[in-house]
């Protein structure tokens, strides 16, 4: 079986590639990534040592390029991680999110229709549901929760989800969608909350926390997310949406304090900054459907997962130092510049 993984040089996509290489070495894997600011080819350095893995640079919104790739590779399964994903960036530059997250998804599905695939899987987010009140801890997002977006990012992801389901209903394209809670773990881009706090704390820099830090997120260790997607593309029902949650709800302030404690730093590093526009209050996923149908449950609690994550960043300083310096963007040229 040949699996095309888009956005595989990013955080979750790269972890999914390593999960697949470890658990399904009999398959072939192609990574397609545009290597924008969050795509890091260095992340896939170990994957490139595998004969059943290959990398292609390209944009999912480039129809001619995507069709040529499908014509050449003829993938059996497409897993679409490719997306602009940072909420703050979407507020500053929404058009980029519309192009990648909506148009790019449509191009991929058109290629899937043209060349025939066994499954197209769309990796989405719980942010398409909007948020939940902080004083109603009994409420959770289910697959039936109405879409109610808060940012250009979440609106673009919700639009892509609707497009995917429309292609299933109109064309019979064999699709599935997963909506996950906040991921954390190895290879997380340093602008995100957990790696940013780890790196700043290591340098005794201020730890900026939006508002009062009371916003709640359900944290999902990235390997658990990868195992869920693997189950969905192999055993999930076509045309279905599956929520993937970690059962690890924490306020942003709790997360920051946990990191400070693990690193032996002082809480005086915490500094509260002006909240961002439309900041969702609480995310909480009910993953009962994927547990009921596919037997999936998260295996990593937050206490263990955050320790593993911090340890990874301590042991891989050169990886994130090159990102901070911008040197990581030169790696593709070094690898492929003369080819």
């Amino acid at each position: 079986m040949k699996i095309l993984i888009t956005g595989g040089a990013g955080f979750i996509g790269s972890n999914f590639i390593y999960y697949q290489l470890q658990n399904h070495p009999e398959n072939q894997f192609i990574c397609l990534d545009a290597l924008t600011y969050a795509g890091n080819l260095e992340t896939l350095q170990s994957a490139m040592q595998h004969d059943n893995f290959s990398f292609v640079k390209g944009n999912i919104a480039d129809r001619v390029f995507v069709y040529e790739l499908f014509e050449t590779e003829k993938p059996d399964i497409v897993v679409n991680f490719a997306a602009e994903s940072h909420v703050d960036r979407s507020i500053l530059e929404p058009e980029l999110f519309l192009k990648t997250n909506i148009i790019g998804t449509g191009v991929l599905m058109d290629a899937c229709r043209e060349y025939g695939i066994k499954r197209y899987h769309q990796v989405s987010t719980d942010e398409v549901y909007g948020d939940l009140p902080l004083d109603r801890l009994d409420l959770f997002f289910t697959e039936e929760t109405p879409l109610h977006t808060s940012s250009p990012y979440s609106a673009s992801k919700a639009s892509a989800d609707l497009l995917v389901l429309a292609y299933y209903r109109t064309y019979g394209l064999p699709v599935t969608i997963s909506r996950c809670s906040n991921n954390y773990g190895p290879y997380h881009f340093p602008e995100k909350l957990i790696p940013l706090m780890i790196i700043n704390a290591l340098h005794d820099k201020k730890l900026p926390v939006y508002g009062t830090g009371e916003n709640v997120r359900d944290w999902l260790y990235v390997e658990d997310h990868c195992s869920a997607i693997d189950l969905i593309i192999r055993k999930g029902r076509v045309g279905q949406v599956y929520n993937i949650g970690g059962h690890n709800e924490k306020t942003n302030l709790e997360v920051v304090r946990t990191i400070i404690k693990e690193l032996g730093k002082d809480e005086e590093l915490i500094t509260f900054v002006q909240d961002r526009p439309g900041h969702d209050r609480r995310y909480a996923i009910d993953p009962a459907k994927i547990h009921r149908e596919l037997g999936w449950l998260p295996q990593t609690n937050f206490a263990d997962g955050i320790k593993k994550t911090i340890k990874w960043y301590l042991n891989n300083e050169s990886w994130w130092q090159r990102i901070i310096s911008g040197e990581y963007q030169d790696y593709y040229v070094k690898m492929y510049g003369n080819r």
Side-chain angles (χ1 to χ4, degrees):
M1 186 182 297
K2 186 178 286 189
I3 301 178
L4 174 64
I5 300 164
T6 68
F11 165 44
I12 306 175
S14 61
N15 276 278
F16 183 73
I17 286 171
Y18 285 119
Y19 183 91
Q20 290 295 314
L21 287 170
Q22 180 177 349
N23 291 279
H24 301 286
E26 72 280 3
N27 292 332
Q28 289 181 281
F29 305 99
I30 306 121
C31 172
L32 168 61
D33 200 294
L35 296 182
T36 55
Y37 78 96
N40 184 358
L41 195 59
E42 284 189 71
T43 300
L44 297 173
Q45 197 169 16
S46 296
M48 291 180 186
Q49 308 306 313
H50 293 258
D51 293 336
N52 60 337
F53 174 82
S54 60
F55 175 83
V56 180
K57 183 180 180 181
N59 194 311
I60 61 170
D62 184 339
R63 185 174 295 271
V64 173
F65 172 83
V66 169
Y67 275 48
E68 288 177 352
L69 179 64
F70 273 69
E71 176 69 32
T72 301
E73 297 292 348
K74 295 179 173 58
D76 299 296
I77 293 175
V78 175
V79 183
N80 182 27
F81 290 94
E84 297 290 341
S85 64
H86 196 263
V87 174
D88 289 352
R89 287 178 182 265
S90 79
I91 294 171
L92 295 173
E93 196 174 2
E95 184 177 354
L96 179 60
F97 286 69
L98 305 184
K99 182 177 180 181
T100 300
N101 298 356
I102 304 174
I103 301 301
T105 297
V107 169
L108 283 175
M109 289 192 298
D110 283 341
C112 289
R113 290 177 54 221
E114 180 73 20
Y115 293 97
I117 48 99
K118 296 178 181 177
R119 177 67 59 90
Y120 172 88
H121 183 75
Q122 178 76 4
V123 180
S124 188
T125 171
D126 60 357
E127 294 190 43
V128 300
Y129 297 123
D131 62 353
L132 297 166
L134 294 174
D135 59 353
R136 288 294 307 276
L137 299 182
D138 58 315
L139 296 179
F140 295 88
F141 297 137
T142 71
E143 290 81 0
E144 285 72 44
T145 300
L147 304 186
H148 187 68
T149 61
S150 305
S151 69
Y153 161 62
S154 58
S156 68
K157 291 297 287 185
S159 300
D161 286 2
L162 293 173
L163 191 63
V164 171
L165 294 175
Y167 269 60
Y168 167 67
R169 182 165 180 175
T170 302
Y171 304 112
L173 191 69
V175 307
T176 44
I177 298 173
S178 58
R179 294 173 179 155
C180 67
S181 55
N182 282 42
N183 280 222
Y184 68 106
Y187 300 114
H188 205 175
F189 199 74
E191 73 181 358
K192 300 290 187 172
L193 176 67
I194 287 179
L196 177 65
M197 296 302 151
I198 293 172
I199 294 168
N200 277 17
L202 287 173
H203 292 90
D204 294 313
K205 292 183 177 180
K206 293 294 185 181
L207 307 180
V209 177
Y210 280 131
T212 60
E214 295 177 353
N215 303 71
V216 174
R217 300 295 182 260
D218 173 23
W219 291 97
L220 174 67
Y221 192 63
V222 66
E223 187 174 1
D224 287 338
H225 186 192
C226 294
S227 68
I229 294 175
D230 184 57
L231 275 174
I232 293 170
I233 64 176
R234 296 170 190 280
K235 299 180 180 179
R237 287 188 293 141
V238 169
Q240 293 296 304
V241 176
Y242 292 92
N243 282 350
I244 308 171
H247 281 313
N248 287 303
E249 285 188 58
K250 304 287 180 184
T251 67
N252 288 346
L253 192 56
E254 283 181 288
V255 171
V256 175
R257 284 175 170 162
T258 299
I259 292 169
I260 288 173
K261 184 177 179 180
E262 287 293 327
L263 292 175
K265 299 294 183 175
D266 197 309
E267 287 197 9
E268 290 184 1
L269 291 174
I270 297 174
T271 178
F272 296 99
V273 299
Q274 183 177 354
D275 211 351
R276 72 182 176 208
H279 197 179
D280 288 333
R281 291 162 294 180
R282 172 176 172 253
Y283 302 149
I285 273 187
D286 179 2
K289 179 178 178 179
I290 189 172
H291 173 58
R292 182 176 64 251
E293 293 190 10
L294 304 179
W296 180 88
L297 282 174
Q299 301 299 306
T300 310
N301 62 44
F302 188 78
D304 293 335
I306 196 65
K307 288 179 181 178
K308 290 197 291 185
T309 300
I310 291 172
K311 183 178 180 180
W312 188 89
Y313 278 87
L314 291 173
N315 292 336
N316 293 272
E317 182 175 352
S318 61
W319 179 85
W320 52 262
Q321 284 284 14
R322 283 194 291 273
I323 292 177
I324 292 173
S325 70
E327 292 178 8
Y328 77 104
Q329 293 182 325
D330 299 329
Y331 186 74
Y332 176 82
V333 176
K334 293 176 184 177
M335 288 293 294
Y336 293 95
N338 296 322
R339 297 188 184 184

